[in-house]
Amino acid sequence: MISSLTSIRGTNMPELLAFARFLIGLPRFLNTPISFDDAEAAVIKNASRRDLRLIDKLETAVFSYPRSPYRKLFDAAGLSEDEVYKIIRECGVEMALHHFQSRGIYITWDEFKGRIPVCRGKRTFHFQPEDFDNPIMRTSLSTSSSGSSGVPVRVGNDLEDNTQSCVDWAVLFRAWGL
């Protein structure tokens, strides 16, 4: 965040707008506490709708996004959008994910970092870390990894995603007696 403040002259407009969204949303985020009971109820509700949530995420962030690396892998595996949704509905999330992995729809850490190409069957893809950015996330703050294992990777963040993380952490804290 300090680098965002000290290098405004070299910052492009989208970065400034994202930072402004972060500053505008921060007071509401900080002033909206989540109780353990509310967090637990949210986790239970989300878990009961995992298949629908995965289908929604795939629809909005993969199949509606031509640049998505995952869309390219689904296409290379010969799986249409409708087939993917049918597999999820019939098999459940875990079995569907195992099925997709067996068809080559997965990314290793080195592939994600862009260190090695993605080779699936006779197809080879060259992805960069930014190719995996969530197209529906309204990034309000960008940070980066330390780069300790190579080139630093920019990581987008938004307060809505942090709200969900807080819900998950609250349930973990309660389970740990904290």
Side-chain angles (χ1 to χ4, degrees):
M1 186 159 69
I2 299 299
S3 63
S4 297
L5 296 175
T6 58
S7 63
I8 288 179
R9 186 186 327 194
T11 302
N12 62 33
M13 188 56 70
E15 288 175 349
L16 286 173
L17 291 173
F19 188 63
R21 272 195 306 274
F22 172 77
L23 290 177
I24 290 167
L26 189 59
R28 188 172 124 232
F29 173 78
L30 294 174
N31 291 317
T32 309
I34 299 171
S35 72
F36 285 119
D37 291 337
D38 289 344
E40 188 173 58
V43 168
I44 290 168
K45 178 181 175 187
N46 288 340
S48 72
R49 302 176 57 242
R50 288 180 73 220
D51 56 340
L52 298 174
R53 293 178 72 223
L54 177 58
I55 288 169
D56 181 59
K57 183 66 75 174
L58 288 170
E59 186 176 335
T60 57
V62 173
F63 292 112
S64 296
Y65 184 54
R67 288 187 43 217
S68 168
Y70 292 104
R71 179 177 176 171
K72 292 174 183 177
L73 293 176
F74 278 113
D75 290 345
L79 286 172
S80 72
E81 186 174 351
D82 290 336
E83 289 172 309
V84 168
Y85 301 155
K86 181 180 178 191
I87 291 168
I88 294 168
R89 284 188 198 98
E90 289 179 359
C91 301
V93 172
E94 282 81 12
M95 292 305 296
L97 293 176
H98 285 292
H99 178 77
F100 301 150
Q101 182 181 18
S102 74
R103 299 282 298 263
I105 303 161
Y106 65 90
I107 297 292
T108 68
W109 184 248
D110 284 334
E111 291 167 344
F112 169 75
K113 296 281 268 181
R115 293 183 190 136
I116 62 172
V118 176
C119 300
R120 302 288 186 272
K122 296 179 182 179
R123 303 280 311 265
T124 300
F125 303 93
H126 298 275
F127 299 129
Q128 297 301 313
E130 57 271 11
D131 294 331
F132 294 94
D133 288 352
N134 184 339
I136 58 175
M137 179 186 278
R138 291 188 47 143
T139 299
S140 53
L141 184 63
S142 291
T143 58
S144 68
S145 67
S146 67
S148 61
S149 61
V151 177
V153 175
R154 184 185 55 77
V155 178
N157 199 333
D158 75 352
L159 294 174
E160 184 177 323
D161 186 53
N162 284 340
T163 299
Q164 181 58 51
S165 293
C166 289
V167 166
D168 298 336
W169 278 107
V171 171
L172 285 173
F173 288 164
R174 176 175 260 182
W176 293 335
L178 301 174

